[in-house]
Amino acid sequence: MGLLLAVSLESSDMWLQTIGLTLLFFVISTGFGLFILVLASPRLIEASGLSRLELLIFGFTIGAPGSGTFLQLLCLVQRDLKIDLAVLSLISLIGLFTTRSLWRVRRPDLREIAIWIAIVIPLATMTWWSSFGAFSSFPFTDIGADAHWMKIAQEFSDTGVLNPYAGQTYSDLRAAVAGLLSGTLGLDLLQFHWAYRYLSILCLGLFFYAAANRLFLDSGRKWFFVLFAVSTNTLGILTNGSLAIASSFVFLAMLVGVAPIAASGQTLLPSTIVPAATALAAVVIAFLLNNNSLLLAVLPAVLLTLNAVGRSSSRGGGTAASLLITSAWPIALIFVHRSAYLFVAIVIASWLFYVAVLSAASRPQPRLLKSLWVAGLLLPSICVLGLLYIAAARAGYAPKVSANSLFSHLTRFLLGRGLNEGDEIMLGTGPEVAAIEISRAIGPAFPILIGGLYLWWCAKNRPARLIQQVAIPGQSAAILRLLWSWIAACTFSLAVLSGFPFLYRILFVVLGLFTVATTELFCQFIWDPAPAPVGRLSRVSFFALALITALTIGVYAFSWWPDLPYSTYQTILRPMQIGLLAVAAVCAGLTFSNRRRTQIVGAAVVISLSVAIDRSAVANLFRVYSYGRPPVGATFISHYSASELATDRWLHENLPKSIVITDPVTLAMARAVAGVPGLYLFSNLDTVYPPLADNIREAISAIVRPESDSLRTVPRACAIIAPMMDRLNVEARAQMGAASLTEGMLKAVRPGVQLPVVPILPDSGVGKEMAAPRIREETLKRAGETAAARAVQAEAINSAMAALQTPDGTWNLVAIINPRTMQWLHLGPGGRLSYFPVDRPLDPELLERFGRGDFPLLYSDGQNAVLLIRCTQPTAY
């Protein structure tokens, strides 16, 4: 009993340490961003109109990825992690201290904080559980999309070098600081992954509150927006992409907050066109620089320039303050993630539309208001018809639409490449992908509920009545905000359905705009009328409750049958859905209360929970699309087993200087846990360039299926591996100290027009970083015919394997073999491995062969085997 208590206390201490260090991660990142922002001077920041929370969000947007680029620069000077932590902490403290008067909490804020905690904490727990907690069992969970940043963090923790070639097109916001805390204060990266997810959802709750403060003036609308947004939030974690889109929404809310000033001007040029042009100019600068390090350097340059302009004159100070947001924020967004090219364009278009609506409302015109009223009815109908057509085309009842040729012109300009079948960018292209993403994000309950309320609103507010309503100062802002948000959201939804590459990533902004419309519809029907319309409240609440109950039992319940592919996912989440239905039923009963505030809160909770239950259930059904059918007995989602985790930890402790060859899923886990490089690179867990995959399969086959003549086993395997070692990926060479870190930091993040998917020719020089020329069996046979040929082959192999000799010591080439690796060897063209691990032992005969084979068996637990690949021993030839 005492031992169990001691273990429990130790586990609690570990989690408390993890939560504390994860909070420190957010503090350090935000402080670093504030340090950069303060270069514009606190006076200019205050004059810009940034609220305290917006300042912190802006600081985190800059500091989270910026600290990674800064630590890369620091690696060029020294590699002591303790010095890195001291320098970064000092900079963050300076940033926090210098801006303390701009962000510190004041006594009047305590009430707002208490309300925010009461709303967000339970809803964040609900979101965390429905998106992550219910499908995880520590330490096993889904880290497929997170294996990349974990590898960078572990490598940094072990070596003190932040690999610039591993950052791809952005500096991951988690890798640098998490790796630094892991290497100095013992942060466990797997535990950090869990704590970070929950704190991410809380952080998004702050983003929603900051947007609500700008979008709504009255307290009721503000808190209803926070309730609707947090309860129906579809983002479960802050990645570079989700931070960029969430920060873009706050940026849009800020612009909307100053839009009345722009709309009231005599001319749109100084108040509207100039800020929009500044933001687009920032996008052009980022596009031309084409480098993360240079882009981060531009931010201090812009802020110092605005500081100088602001000090030159009082009028210049006003101009500099107004340009601070519209110039620095777009640069920061693109620095976070390159998809922000789309986000900034969406934000600017939404803001200009809002200014146009306000400007027109100041001089009400029947034709314009009628056009907005008609557009609000037609656009959602077009979206529904588009979804139906895509579904019909998918089922074969209608011809499929391919717009690749049209999109190629745009992607060639924006991304530097056109669209080809087989190109990785095609993973995010096409109307079918867009339809899946938008259906998963919105679900059926939301369109039915909100669409019905909007039709009801349109029936009560015909164009002739709208002209009278807009003329009333207290009602015009609410009506125009509803028309703007609804039409903009529907327009962007239609754009997403076009299937433009990765345009579905703007769905967070689309859902944010729909949430603005939901808030306005709710308030105009329920909050604004006095006395409280009890009958209306109860009707709306019980309709929402009946709808979600019917969907849960009548639609989603069919997946409860155990023989369906998604029944396991539904079984995991079913208790939560039933519990939320019970809470919604209780809240529906509150609408019969005698207190108006209780009635309204009850109705708001019923609507928000109805949408939340629906979206979680829809996302649950789409888990099959993401992970496939779970194996029998699976109770959580994980792509690795206890054996794989133990093997990777053994590799990290005993052979940290290793290059791994294995199947891509096993390799991803080895990279994440052990921090070691792989012999080849790939994007997703199973997205490997086909010729490269063929090479790897041939090499592994040569290792696990030796020739009858044992003297030819090693030459055959090494002859396949040697060309890949000769063209070892630059990320691995940088980790081995064989590639320039400075050149890595200055590399272009956007490639040229050359597509990466091209035929690999031995002498063309094309794709050398991606794959080696395919070694044909006939070539191997000819090479082994004579002693002279074998000598030439041995010399070539020894020359290629010389890459393992570095000034810091000799590296090892190891193969990890497990049952999943053996399955991968037999995959046909287009075949995919199961996302879930193959939790069974290796063939005993295979293990016995490894024990007496030509490649030394370094480690085995019966399920995973680690073999040392030696290709420089003279006796092998």
Side-chain angles (χ1 to χ4, degrees), residues 669-732:
M669 194 59 194
R671 283 162 49 88
V673 176
V676 296
L679 186 60
Y680 61 101
L681 296 178
F682 53 93
S683 55
N684 298 323
L685 288 185
D686 58 354
T687 306
V688 185
Y689 184 48
L692 173 59
D694 291 340
N695 284 352
I696 302 299
R697 287 193 182 98
E698 286 184 9
I700 296 176
S701 295
I703 294 169
V704 301
R705 300 193 188 102
E707 298 280 338
S708 57
D709 181 5
S710 61
L711 294 178
R712 293 201 56 218
T713 298
V714 173
R716 179 174 181 271
C718 291
I720 301 172
I721 293 173
M724 289 182 276
M725 283 298 303
D726 190 43
R727 297 176 174 88
L728 187 63
N729 62 82
V730 70
E731 178 187 331

Side-chain angles (χ1 to χ4, degrees), residues 11-12 77 285 336 445 468 492 496 544 549 594 607 634 835 845:
S11 178
S12 300
V77 181
I285 291 172
V336 173
Q468 301 175 357
F492 293 141
V496 169
T549 302
N594 294 327
I607 293 174
Y835 188 86
E845 292 185 5

Side-chain angles (χ1 to χ4, degrees), residues 398-437:
K400 291 187 176 182
V401 178
S402 176
N404 288 355
S405 58
L406 173 63
F407 289 156
S408 288
H409 296 293
L410 295 175
T411 58
R412 191 171 286 114
F413 171 74
L414 294 174
L415 307 174
R417 63 183 70 172
L419 299 178
N420 266 4
E421 292 295 335
D423 192 356
E424 184 180 345
I425 197 174
M426 293 295 292
L427 296 174
T429 305
E432 289 186 11
V433 174
I436 290 173
E437 295 296 335

Side-chain angles (χ1 to χ4, degrees), residues 495-638:
V496 169
L497 286 174
S498 69
F500 185 81
F502 297 109
L503 191 60
Y504 62 80
R505 289 178 175 173
I506 70 168
L507 283 174
F508 183 86
V509 170
V510 173
L511 292 175
L513 291 170
F514 272 130
T515 306
V516 174
T518 303
T519 304
E520 279 302 333
L521 287 169
F522 180 82
C523 290
Q524 291 184 36
F525 274 115
I526 296 175
W527 177 262
D528 294 338
V534 179
R536 180 183 299 175
L537 282 167
S538 58
R539 285 196 299 272
V540 171
S541 299
F542 279 95
F543 175 77
L545 181 61
L547 174 64
I548 191 57
T549 302
L551 285 172
T552 302
I553 297 176
V555 177
Y556 302 128
F558 72 87
S559 61
W560 292 10
W561 294 99
D563 58 338
L564 295 177
Y566 26 71
S567 59
T568 301
Y569 300 116
Q570 283 294 86
T571 300
I572 294 173
L573 206 59
R574 189 185 307 159
M576 178 183 175
Q577 293 174 342
I578 295 174
L580 291 179
L581 279 174
V583 174
V586 172
C587 292
L590 296 179
T591 58
F592 294 103
S593 171
N594 294 327
R595 300 185 60 185
R596 182 171 185 261
R597 188 177 298 273
T598 303
Q599 300 167 8
I600 295 174
V601 170
V605 172
V606 171
I607 293 174
S608 60
L609 286 184
S610 298
V611 176
I613 295 169
D614 180 58
R615 286 183 178 170
S616 65
V618 170
N620 219 21
L621 293 179
F622 278 102
R623 291 186 192 278
V624 177
Y625 171 74
S626 302
Y627 304 111
R629 182 168 188 163
V632 177
T635 56
F636 53 85
I637 296 173
S638 177

Side-chain angles (χ1 to χ4, degrees), residues 168-182:
Q168 296 184 349
T169 60
Y170 56 83
S171 178
D172 194 284
L173 60 91
R174 293 163 288 180
V177 179
L180 183 60
L181 295 175
S182 175

Side-chain angles (χ1 to χ4, degrees), residues 352-380 454 457-458 461-463 466-467 470 476 479-488 490-491:
L352 292 178
F353 177 53
Y354 188 74
V355 172
V357 170
L358 287 182
S359 300
S362 62
R363 299 178 298 276
Q365 298 180 8
R367 288 186 178 180
L368 178 62
L369 287 174
K370 186 176 182 178
S371 299
L372 292 175
W373 188 85
V374 172
L377 289 175
L378 289 180
L379 284 172
Y454 186 80
W457 183 87
C458 287
N461 296 274
R462 300 294 181 115
L466 282 181
I467 297 176
V470 169
S476 60
I479 291 174
L480 295 174
R481 188 162 48 237
L482 171 59
L483 290 172
W484 162 74
S485 58
W486 181 264
I487 293 173
C490 292
T491 301

Side-chain angles (χ1 to χ4, degrees), residues 19 22 26 117 120-129 131-132 192-205 236-238:
I19 294 172
T22 307
F26 283 95
I117 290 175
V120 175
I121 293 293
L123 293 177
T125 305
M126 177 191 72
T127 303
W128 180 86
W129 183 257
S131 62
F132 179 80
F192 171 81
H193 176 68
W194 281 57
Y196 180 79
R197 277 186 172 268
Y198 185 73
L199 292 179
S200 292
I201 299 171
L202 293 181
C203 190
L204 288 168
I237 188 172
L238 274 178

Side-chain angles (χ1 to χ4, degrees), residues 57-370:
I57 290 173
F58 197 5
F60 183 73
T61 302
I62 297 173
S67 55
T69 303
F70 172 76
L71 288 172
Q72 280 183 340
L73 288 170
L74 210 53
C75 291
L76 301 178
V77 181
Q78 60 82 42
R79 300 182 180 182
D80 190 329
L81 289 178
K82 294 181 180 178
I83 295 177
D84 289 346
L85 181 60
V87 172
L88 187 62
S89 299
L90 178 62
I91 292 174
S92 298
L93 287 174
I94 293 173
L96 291 168
F97 181 78
T98 309
T99 59
R100 66 191 184 283
S101 61
L102 301 176
W103 59 261
R104 67 184 178 188
V105 177
R106 295 170 174 83
R107 186 177 294 275
D109 300 327
L110 296 179
R111 180 178 178 274
E112 297 281 295
I113 293 174
I115 298 175
W116 182 89
I117 290 175
I119 293 176
V120 175
I121 293 293
L123 293 177
T125 305
M126 177 191 72
T127 303
W128 180 86
W129 183 257
S130 64
S131 62
F132 179 80
F135 302 96
S136 305
S137 179
F138 186 82
F140 308 108
T141 184
D142 166 32
I143 62 168
D146 300 294
H148 181 71
W149 78 260
M150 289 182 69
K151 189 270 177 184
I152 301 173
Q154 190 61 61
E155 177 189 348
F156 184 40
S157 174
D158 294 336
T159 65
V161 177
L162 200 56
N163 198 326
Y165 295 97
Q168 296 184 349
T169 60
Y170 56 83
S171 178
D172 194 284
L173 60 91
R174 293 163 288 180
V177 179
L180 183 60
L181 295 175
S182 175
T184 54
L185 301 178
L187 175 65
D188 184 281
L189 294 178
L190 275 177
Q191 287 185 333
F192 171 81
H193 176 68
W194 281 57
Y196 180 79
R197 277 186 172 268
Y198 185 73
L199 292 179
S200 292
I201 299 171
L202 293 181
C203 190
L204 288 168
L206 293 175
F207 281 55
F208 289 130
Y209 178 81
N213 259 338
R214 284 286 183 176
L215 294 169
F216 304 100
L217 296 179
D218 62 285
S219 178
R221 278 174 164 79
K222 177 179 68 177
W223 288 117
F224 285 134
F225 175 85
V226 172
L227 173 65
F228 294 142
V230 175
S231 60
T232 60
N233 172 35
T234 58
L235 292 180
I237 188 172
L238 274 178
T239 62
N240 284 66
S242 59
L243 173 61
I245 188 63
S247 186
S248 297
F249 187 67
V250 179
F251 179 40
L252 172 60
M254 281 201 61
L255 294 177
V256 168
V258 300
I261 302 174
S264 63
Q266 296 298 321
T267 174
L268 292 178
L269 183 60
S271 57
T272 304
I273 303 300
V274 171
T278 304
L280 295 178
V283 172
V284 172
I285 291 172
F287 186 85
L288 294 176
L289 287 176
N290 196 25
N291 177 264
N292 284 328
S293 302
L294 296 178
L295 192 56
L296 178 63
V298 165
L299 269 174
V302 169
L303 296 172
L304 288 172
T305 301
L306 293 175
N307 191 343
V309 172
R311 293 176 184 275
S312 62
S313 65
S314 58
R315 186 175 181 181
T319 303
S322 63
L323 294 180
L324 173 64
I325 307 302
T326 55
S327 61
W329 207 312
I331 293 176
L333 291 174
I334 296 173
F335 176 62
V336 173
H337 199 273
R338 295 288 154 163
S339 58
Y341 284 120
L342 290 173
F343 303 159
V344 174
I346 292 297
V347 166
I348 297 303
S350 301
W351 179 59
L352 292 178
F353 177 53
Y354 188 74
V355 172
V357 170
L358 287 182
S359 300
S362 62
R363 299 178 298 276
Q365 298 180 8
R367 288 186 178 180
L368 178 62
L369 287 174
K370 186 176 182 178

